[in-house]
Amino acid sequence: MSANYAVVLAAGQGTRMKSKLYKVLHPVCGKSMVEHVVGQIEKLNLQQIVTVIGYGGKQVKEVLRQRTEFAVQEEQLGTGHAVLQAEPLLGEKQGTTLIICGDTPLFTAETLTELFDYHQQQRAVATILTAIAPDPTGYGRIIRDRQGNVAKIVEQKDTTPAEAAVAEINTGVYCFDNQALFQALHQVTNDNAQHEYYLTDVIEICQKAAQKVAAFTMKDFNESMGVNDRVALSKATALMRQRINEKHMRNGVTLIDPQNTYIDSEVKIGADTVVEPGVVLKGTTIIGENCLIGAHSQLSDSLISDNVTITASVLENAQMATGSNIGPYSHLRPQAKIDERVHIGNFVEVKKAEIGADTKVGHLTYVGDATLGRQINVGCGCVFVNYDGINKHHTTVGDYSFIGSASNMVAPLRIADHAYVAAGSTITNDVAAHDMAIARGRQVNKAGYYDRYPVAKAAQQTEQAEKNSK
């Protein structure tokens, strides 16, 4: 079996994106375009992947790291010149080399495998991946002879009326005999309007040398979409989102409104989970079975076990165990860990805290830098005061304790098992087991004060008028 390689072209500046971000690093459903390309190539188990980088290449290296080797194109002198930069790494090797662009995030490993297989079956020196375009305007046309062999590739500006009517287009992806590729690249000239070295010229060079050039037509034209501006980026994202959503639905996930559900490519969802409209699932989020992800929730890099209900809430790098629930309008910030059957109500924020099984944090509460045990009741409007202006401090609350409404727990603090904090208290000292802590000012009633209250007279007049009208 011959060795297979890949060259990913990722050196273009992408001026039409009008962005400071390197073009191939623009994200599509949670991953940069070049990560999508390399991810599909990796499934082919090739012997070597080389990514050609140029301006801004350091950022691409930081994203891809050890997944590929790198070649640098110092000057942007065309696609042929870009591939030639990989010669020190690949030039002496025998086998087949795939050439693909880093701004084509929709290609699949299945299509690329079919291209490799066809190339080898045809025993071709070069094989062009083609597609049938609904509207071929702007693409290079594949012109075949009467026997169906590739005669030439004609760019849009050079087509005759008959050639312009051809729907088969060049996707810019190729398989080449590796040594023949680099031999031909040294024959490519820049004698053209752009003064660039074009990879497509290699096809003509192979044909003039009587070497076989084949073309394989892919099934889905949409895979071939290249991204050169923000409009194309949005279209590619929509197609990728459709692909992702269909995969989840075929795996047993219910998406109430797929067109308004936004799921990144690395997200995993268990069967019989229901996802309502407007949900955004980002990063490496994993969701178990039989969950309900309510409308307009947003989850990033979070781990959700089975039978969890999330209602209109935001989770970032958080965990929710089996049978727990949250919302509406609550927020789990990084390192929030919610144990089994915990209830997090509305308008609750949890940050860097673990909340033990069967505990209830009903509403309007902030829990930060804390460890809460099992079966605790946290009343409305409580604050775990963790920041002194310089450092963060930790609060621990033991099992079966009760935290009354509108209480402040000022860290560092330890509240033992079976302890009770009276409503409206500000607790600054540790509370022992079975004790009740009360820390609030004594109530004082000022007799007759209401009559001196500025609006009292107006209220009394209104009250009298209501009586008179009866």
Side-chain angles (χ1 to χ4, degrees), residues 185-382:
L185 283 170
H186 284 287
Q187 302 175 51
V188 173
T189 70
N190 66 347
D191 186 17
N192 52 62
Q194 301 298 322
H195 299 293
E196 292 186 351
Y197 299 88
Y198 293 130
L199 181 60
T200 50
D201 290 352
V202 171
I203 300 299
E204 183 178 354
I205 291 169
C206 291
Q207 287 173 322
K208 287 181 177 179
Q211 296 171 325
K212 184 171 183 178
V213 175
F216 173 72
T217 304
M218 60 192 291
K219 298 182 183 72
D220 183 4
F221 167 74
N222 287 329
E223 281 189 38
S224 67
M225 177 181 287
V227 174
N228 290 311
D229 57 26
R230 307 285 183 143
V231 175
L233 182 66
S234 70
K235 291 178 180 178
T237 300
L239 289 167
M240 181 69 78
R241 186 169 68 245
Q242 180 182 357
R243 181 189 297 176
I244 291 168
N245 289 356
E246 286 184 2
K247 178 193 73 174
H248 287 297
M249 288 188 286
R250 295 188 189 282
N251 288 336
V253 178
T254 296
L255 305 185
I256 302 298
D257 184 0
Q259 291 185 336
N260 290 293
T261 302
Y262 307 87
I263 304 175
D264 281 356
S265 59
E266 297 299 306
V267 171
K268 296 178 175 59
I269 309 175
D272 292 315
T273 285
V274 177
V275 181
E276 294 184 340
V279 167
V280 180
L281 304 177
K282 294 183 176 182
T284 57
T285 294
I286 299 174
I287 299 171
E289 298 182 351
N290 299 299
C291 294
L292 173 61
I293 312 300
H296 308 295
S297 295
Q298 180 171 307
L299 283 63
S300 303
D301 301 311
S302 294
L303 178 60
I304 311 301
S305 297
D306 299 341
N307 302 301
V308 170
T309 297
I310 297 172
T311 306
S313 294
V314 176
L315 282 69
E316 308 168 72
N317 193 21
Q319 298 181 36
M320 292 186 69
T322 301
S324 58
N325 65 83
I326 184 172
Y329 312 120
S330 287
H331 188 182
L332 299 186
R333 290 170 56 193
Q335 300 182 56
K337 183 178 179 183
I338 309 304
D339 289 345
E340 295 180 352
R341 299 175 301 280
V342 168
H343 168 64
I344 304 292
N346 53 301
F347 300 104
V348 174
E349 182 175 349
V350 181
K351 169 256 177 188
K352 198 177 179 181
E354 179 173 357
I355 299 179
D358 299 298
T359 287
K360 295 178 174 59
V361 184
H363 31 246
L364 299 164
T365 288
Y366 172 70
V367 183
D369 293 271
T371 301
L372 277 63
R374 299 171 56 88
Q375 296 198 26
I376 298 169
N377 186 88
V378 179
C380 175
C382 292

